[in-house]
Amino acid sequence: MADEGDILTDLDLDPAAGANGADNQPSVGFLTQYIKDLSVENPNAPASFQWNEAPQVDLQLNIGATEAGDGVHEVEVRVNASAKADSGVLYAVELIYAGLVAVRNVPEDQAHAFLYAEAPRILFPFARAIVADATRDAGFQPLLLDPIDFNALYMQRLQQKAQEEAQAGGAAGDPAGAA
């Protein structure tokens, strides 16, 4: 049996390599990870360093995955963070941190779960560090994002989607539901 290191590094995606049936093992792994986009704004410096009021921090996090090639997907963790006070904006950070993930011989539902729950869980600590460094380098206290349970969010989203589909199916099939 291959050890975990072999699974993550031996991601030969050539379909001919497994033609004899000897290489049908499911495998997933990161090929690379990178900053796709980073923007840091400190629009009111140096005046903002004099403000004494506590800022309101707005944080938005989004996950996305797109197919980048045969068996390779790009997973993105998007973080938008801004701090505003009554006097104005202290900072705004926009980050897209991404990774290329190879997926081979994995059932579709399991691949989907990996791309939208497990891969973001692996990428998030790096994105978290970049945001903390960016806010610190802009002259403010580092913005330390709390850890996120991507698995729970993924399961919650699946349940929400199933409820929406059930409601849409019930409304479409029930003529009394249309008023």
Side-chain angles (χ1 to χ4, degrees), residues 3-93:
D3 68 14
E4 196 171 332
D6 291 339
I7 292 171
L8 296 178
T9 58
D10 185 19
L11 294 171
D12 180 11
L13 296 177
D14 180 13
N20 64 5
D23 195 17
N24 292 359
Q25 294 294 90
S27 64
V28 295
F30 277 86
L31 302 175
T32 190
Q33 56 189 46
Y34 47 92
I35 295 174
K36 188 169 184 177
D37 186 28
L38 175 61
S39 171
V40 181
E41 298 177 24
N42 189 353
N44 291 304
S48 59
F49 300 123
Q50 305 289 325
W51 300 342
N52 293 325
E53 57 211 274
Q56 295 294 318
V57 176
D58 178 41
L59 178 67
Q60 296 178 9
L61 179 77
N62 291 298
I63 304 299
T66 57
E67 191 166 343
D70 188 31
V72 177
H73 300 268
E74 181 184 55
V75 176
E76 294 180 347
V77 174
R78 294 174 177 253
V79 180
N80 291 328
S82 62
K84 298 176 183 173
D86 290 338
S87 301
V89 175
L90 280 83
Y91 63 81
V93 177

Side-chain angles (χ1 to χ4, degrees), residues 101-135:
V101 180
V103 179
R104 181 175 58 185
N105 299 324
V106 176
E108 182 63 32
D109 61 330
Q110 292 176 7
H112 191 269
F114 185 85
L115 294 172
Y116 286 92
E118 186 62 17
R121 182 192 68 79
I122 294 168
L123 292 172
F124 183 72
F126 299 97
R128 181 179 188 260
I130 293 165
V131 169
D133 288 347
T135 54

